[in-house]
Amino acid sequence: MRKAPTAHWHAHQVELFLLEPHDVTDSYAGWLNDPEVNRYLESRFVPHDIASVRDFVGGVLADSRALLLGIRALGRHVGNIKLAPIEVHHGLGEVGIMIGEREAWGRGLGSEAIRCVATIAAQEFGLRKLTAGCYASNVGSAKAFQKAGFHVEGVRPRHFLLDGRPEDLILMAQFLDAGASAISK
């Protein structure tokens, strides 16, 4: 979906921006093909190039239940965060994040972007609950979500295969207060 940015799209270290096909670069496509970056992404099973990624971004823009935002930090595009599907009838949204630039790892950018998206979800969409999931061994992602106010709701044992071995899926959530800013928490 296309949406104009608001003050909720900015935080101390990050600025979110509406991701458009023209924002797809060699670096962005490279993140999706990098085995260390894509280790926990379901997109790792197919090769990506600029054309395929631009098609994906264009498809998300056309989806009225999805918001795909780039994360700008350290003076450049370092990753993406997605709120999709947005289920307005139930007040729900699912969050997914990728920090593609390794230089940006471990700096708290992911949790800051997640807090921004939580505020957008509450203030701009009126959502009441966000959900997310990650592989159990993806400690960085789990910590980022928990630092941003998510809690573990449950575990789906042996849900994925990672390097041929079963891996648990950690299910997380955050309840939102449409009158409060998630950034201030």
Side-chain angles (χ1 to χ4, degrees), residues 17-21 23-24 28 57 61 68-71 77 79-80:
F17 62 96
L18 184 65
L19 201 60
E20 304 255 9
D23 295 310
V24 176
Y28 177 178
V57 170
L61 274 173
L68 179 59
L69 303 174
I71 302 168
H77 180 197
N80 302 327

Side-chain angles (χ1 to χ4, degrees), residues 21-96:
H22 69 264
D23 295 310
V24 176
T25 61
D26 287 328
S27 293
Y28 177 178
W31 302 336
L32 296 171
N33 293 313
D34 182 328
E36 191 173 356
V37 172
N38 74 18
R39 178 166 177 73
Y40 301 108
L41 301 177
E42 298 309 293
S43 61
R44 72 182 181 272
F45 300 112
V46 296
H48 301 276
D49 59 26
I50 289 179
S52 67
V53 180
R54 284 182 176 160
D55 286 345
F56 169 77
V57 170
V60 176
L61 274 173
D63 185 345
S64 64
R65 297 178 355 143
L67 182 64
L68 179 59
L69 303 174
I71 302 168
R72 191 174 290 121
L74 309 173
R76 64 185 181 281
H77 180 197
V78 298
N80 302 327
I81 189 161
K82 184 168 78 166
L83 180 60
I86 298 167
E87 300 288 349
V88 293
H89 298 298
H90 296 291
L92 303 173
E94 178 85 12
V95 178

